[in-house]
């Protein structure tokens, strides 16, 4: 019981910063629009924190961006129009997951290419080792064979 309470407390403490990032005065009265605003703000990077979405950040710039998203939604913009507006204003860096375009192709493709290349190199190395027989011990010399035969032919002495 004590362990479970500790786990619940730890989870609540982890969720605490995200719970207080969006201030009550920012929340829209229409729950559908507020849900859209929250979804969009989870996709946008805080330019101050850089590893948090603006939905999770308490930075003043993140607050300004959350308010700007809500203003654009209240003005009737679609989700893509809001994102396009913010990208035009702040650049592609404002998106937590950049779009797949010519400029970001290297960002999207480098990890899979490196993973496939590493797997291929490992596979080739394993094949090369299996073919060369490097893991096999060298055959016994005639002297070693004779000594082994002598050791095996000796009967244990009884004391």
């Amino acid at each position: 019981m004590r362990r479970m309470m500790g786990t619940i407390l730890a989870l609540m403490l982890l969720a605490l910063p995200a719970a207080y990032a969006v201030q009550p005065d920012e929340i829209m009265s229409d729950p559908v629009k507020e849900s859209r605003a929250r979804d969009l703000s989870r996709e946008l990077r805080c330019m101050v924190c850089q590893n948090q979405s603006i939905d999770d950040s308490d930075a003043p710039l993140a607050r300004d961006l959350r308010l700007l998203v809500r203003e654009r939604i209240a003005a009737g913009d679609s989700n893509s129009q809001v994102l396009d507006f913010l990208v035009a204003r702040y650049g592609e860096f404002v998106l937590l997951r950049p779009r797949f375009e010519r400029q970001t192709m290297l960002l999207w493709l480098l990890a899979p290419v490196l993973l496939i290349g590493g797997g291929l190199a490992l596979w080739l190395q394993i094949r090369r080792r299996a073919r060369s027989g490097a893991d096999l011990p060298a055959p016994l010399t005639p002297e070693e064979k004779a000594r082994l035969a002598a050791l095996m032919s000796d009967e244990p002495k009884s004391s």
Side-chain angles (χ1 to χ4, degrees):
M1 183 66 175
R2 206 173 226 184
R3 179 177 279 173
M4 187 172 78
M5 291 301 286
T7 303
I8 291 172
L9 180 65
L11 289 174
M12 287 174 57
L13 288 174
L14 286 174
L16 193 61
Y20 286 111
V22 177
Q23 302 298 319
D25 62 332
E26 297 175 30
I27 297 175
M28 300 178 86
S29 58
D30 183 3
V32 174
K33 288 183 179 179
E34 177 60 26
S35 174
R36 280 183 55 210
R38 295 297 292 261
D39 290 341
L40 282 173
S41 61
R42 284 188 199 102
E43 294 180 29
L44 298 169
R45 179 188 318 273
C46 174
M47 305 300 269
V48 176
C49 310
Q50 295 190 4
N51 269 346
Q52 281 185 317
S53 68
I54 62 171
D55 197 51
D56 298 331
S57 175
D58 331 353
L61 180 60
R63 176 182 165 78
D64 293 343
L65 286 174
R66 286 192 303 264
L67 290 172
L68 185 59
V69 166
R70 283 166 173 75
E71 284 175 16
R72 302 300 297 188
I73 289 174
D77 286 359
S78 69
N79 289 1
S80 61
Q81 288 173 324
V82 173
L83 291 176
D84 290 342
F85 174 80
L86 290 169
V87 167
R89 194 167 187 185
Y90 296 102
E92 193 78 22
F93 187 71
V94 77
L95 299 176
L96 275 174
R97 289 184 310 136
R99 298 172 179 156
F100 188 79
E101 295 175 346
R102 189 177 52 104
Q103 298 91 338
T104 60
M105 194 179 318
L106 182 65
L107 175 70
W108 283 103
L109 296 179
L110 188 60
V113 166
L114 287 176
L115 185 64
I116 291 169
L120 182 63
L122 183 63
W123 179 71
L124 289 172
Q125 180 66 22
I126 290 171
R127 279 191 63 198
R128 193 174 305 135
R129 230 183 231 185
R131 281 187 182 166
S132 70
D135 294 336
L136 298 175
L140 294 177
T141 62
E143 296 85 27
E144 291 171 334
K145 287 180 183 177
R147 184 169 175 229
L148 181 61
L151 287 172
M152 293 181 73
S153 67
D154 284 345
E155 292 181 21
K157 297 180 181 178
S158 57
S159 304

